[in-house]
Amino acid sequence: PIITMKFRPCIDLHSGQVKQIVGSTLSDDKQNALTATQSSVEAENFSTDKPASDYAVMYKDDGLTGGHVIMLGPGNQDAAKSALEAYPHGLQIGGGITSSNASEWLSYGASHVIVTSFVFHNGQIDFERLNGLVDQIGKDRLVLDLSCRRKVGDTTGPYYVVTDRWQTYTDVEVNEETLKMLGGYCAEFLVHGVENEGKRCGILEDLVQLLGTYSPVPVTYAGGVQGLDDLDRVKTLGNGNVDLTIGSALDCFGGDIKYDDVVAWHKKEN
């Protein structure tokens, strides 16, 4: 089959509400994201009382697949479940997923679970945890989140996987070797370019190129989209292999890009 680039929708939840957050500002009162009871946000782009399930229904009606629901901190389980119920097997779920709750979230109707902090543990890839998850749910239901950023002050160096709400650097570089190796353990990658996440300051073009060239599995990039032409830019840079998520730049999240225009672009491509 011909690989065509897709637009992948998202629902980001924070304290039970649909929000869009500037990614590099999300922090916790505790070091460990898995046990934190509250999550403070310094910069928020958008917040709404419209329920998560309304967005899920909209994505379902528009025939958009492979989108993701991300639970940013605690207090989001009910909203997330309602979204999955509204669009069974049409959305992936991420945020605090571990081997003890992955099967549960699949049973609520998620197509895949998205995992970061549980697998990228103490700065390294925890192969025991990764193999355990694959044994438990199968690699075809697992998405690895390789959200990454450069070291502070380094504008040309490697991208490192970051965990714990993007605050903690691991020693894992996103490069050809890592992508090819980790691709053997999962169905897809989700990659937030964290420097640009929620800042609408342009996509990380070298990162998109890297993903498009070396990822052995489907990959979705998010971060920094400014306009509709970024869809074509990602298509070109990623050789059609990199799908794109747009969050805060969409009008349904308070931005300037018309959601309907993005859906039309997606339907034209697909």
Side-chain angles (χ1 to χ4, degrees), residues 34 96-99 102 113-134 137 142-146 161-164 170 172 178 181-182 185-186 189:
L34 296 176
I97 303 292
T98 69
S99 57
V113 291
I114 303 166
V115 176
T116 320
S117 302
F118 181 70
V119 163
F120 298 99
H121 181 59
N122 293 336
Q124 309 289 336
I125 301 166
D126 188 326
F127 284 102
E128 196 177 330
R129 288 182 170 191
L130 182 54
N131 280 306
L133 260 180
V134 172
I137 64 171
L142 180 62
V143 175
L144 289 178
D145 183 336
L146 303 185
V161 174
V162 285
T163 64
D164 304 326
T170 67
V172 182
T178 308
M181 187 264 298
L182 288 174
Y185 292 88
C186 64
F189 295 128

Side-chain angles (χ1 to χ4, degrees), residues 45-135:
N45 283 351
F46 172 81
S47 175
T48 179
D49 291 326
K50 182 174 169 176
S53 54
D54 284 14
Y55 285 92
V57 167
M58 180 169 81
Y59 302 155
K60 182 183 177 185
D61 290 348
D62 288 324
L64 300 171
T65 56
H68 54 267
V69 179
I70 303 289
M71 299 179 285
L72 297 162
N76 296 310
Q77 302 221 349
D78 291 344
K81 284 182 202 170
S82 73
L84 298 177
E85 273 167 28
Y87 190 3
H89 310 295
L91 294 163
Q92 306 169 357
I93 184 90
I97 303 292
T98 69
S99 57
S100 57
N101 63 12
S103 298
E104 187 184 344
W105 280 104
L106 292 173
S107 77
Y108 295 143
S111 65
H112 301 70
V113 291
I114 303 166
V115 176
T116 320
S117 302
F118 181 70
V119 163
F120 298 99
H121 181 59
N122 293 336
Q124 309 289 336
I125 301 166
D126 188 326
F127 284 102
E128 196 177 330
R129 288 182 170 191
L130 182 54
N131 280 306
L133 260 180
V134 172
D135 288 346

Side-chain angles (χ1 to χ4, degrees), residues 71-241:
M71 299 179 285
L72 297 162
N76 296 310
Q77 302 221 349
D78 291 344
K81 284 182 202 170
S82 73
L84 298 177
E85 273 167 28
Y87 190 3
H89 310 295
L91 294 163
Q92 306 169 357
I93 184 90
I97 303 292
T98 69
S99 57
S100 57
N101 63 12
S103 298
E104 187 184 344
W105 280 104
L106 292 173
S107 77
Y108 295 143
S111 65
H112 301 70
V113 291
I114 303 166
V115 176
T116 320
S117 302
F118 181 70
V119 163
F120 298 99
H121 181 59
N122 293 336
Q124 309 289 336
I125 301 166
D126 188 326
F127 284 102
E128 196 177 330
R129 288 182 170 191
L130 182 54
N131 280 306
L133 260 180
V134 172
D135 288 346
Q136 188 187 340
I137 64 171
K139 79 184 271 270
D140 57 330
R141 307 295 296 274
L142 180 62
V143 175
L144 289 178
D145 183 336
L146 303 185
S147 293
C148 57
R149 63 201 298 191
R150 289 191 160 113
K151 293 284 169 74
V152 176
D154 184 354
T155 55
T156 56
Y159 290 96
Y160 291 92
V161 174
V162 285
T163 64
D164 304 326
R165 323 258 168 85
W166 307 321
Q167 300 305 303
T168 307
Y169 280 93
T170 67
D171 303 326
V172 182
E173 277 185 45
V174 177
N175 56 25
E176 178 180 7
E177 185 189 0
T178 308
L179 290 166
K180 293 197 164 153
M181 187 264 298
L182 288 174
Y185 292 88
C186 64
E188 298 185 359
F189 295 128
L190 172 63
V191 182
H192 294 87
V194 175
E195 290 318 301
N196 289 355
E197 171 79 7
K199 294 184 186 170
R200 298 189 223 170
C201 54
I203 57 173
L204 296 171
E205 298 196 350
D206 53 350
L207 180 57
V208 172
Q209 256 175 316
L210 178 76
L211 297 171
T213 307
Y214 297 121
S215 177
V217 295
V219 54
T220 302
Y221 170 85
V225 170
Q226 289 173 303
L228 203 59
D229 54 349
D230 280 330
L231 284 156
D232 289 310
R233 190 169 289 118
V234 168
K235 181 185 169 184
T236 303
L237 291 166
N239 298 319
N241 299 325

Side-chain angles (χ1 to χ4, degrees), residues 3-71:
I3 296 173
T4 57
M5 180 184 151
K6 296 178 180 65
F7 161 65
R8 307 265 203 135
C10 66
I11 299 172
D12 288 1
L13 299 169
H14 185 260
S15 305
Q17 276 187 307
V18 176
K19 290 189 184 171
Q20 284 291 319
I21 285 164
V22 178
S24 49
T25 61
L26 197 62
S27 67
D28 253 325
D29 61 342
K30 295 197 185 113
Q31 289 259 292
N32 188 343
L34 296 176
T35 58
T37 51
Q38 75 178 82
S39 167
S40 64
V41 171
E42 292 143 43
E44 197 178 281
N45 283 351
F46 172 81
S47 175
T48 179
D49 291 326
K50 182 174 169 176
S53 54
D54 284 14
Y55 285 92
V57 167
M58 180 169 81
Y59 302 155
K60 182 183 177 185
D61 290 348
D62 288 324
L64 300 171
T65 56
H68 54 267
V69 179
I70 303 289
M71 299 179 285

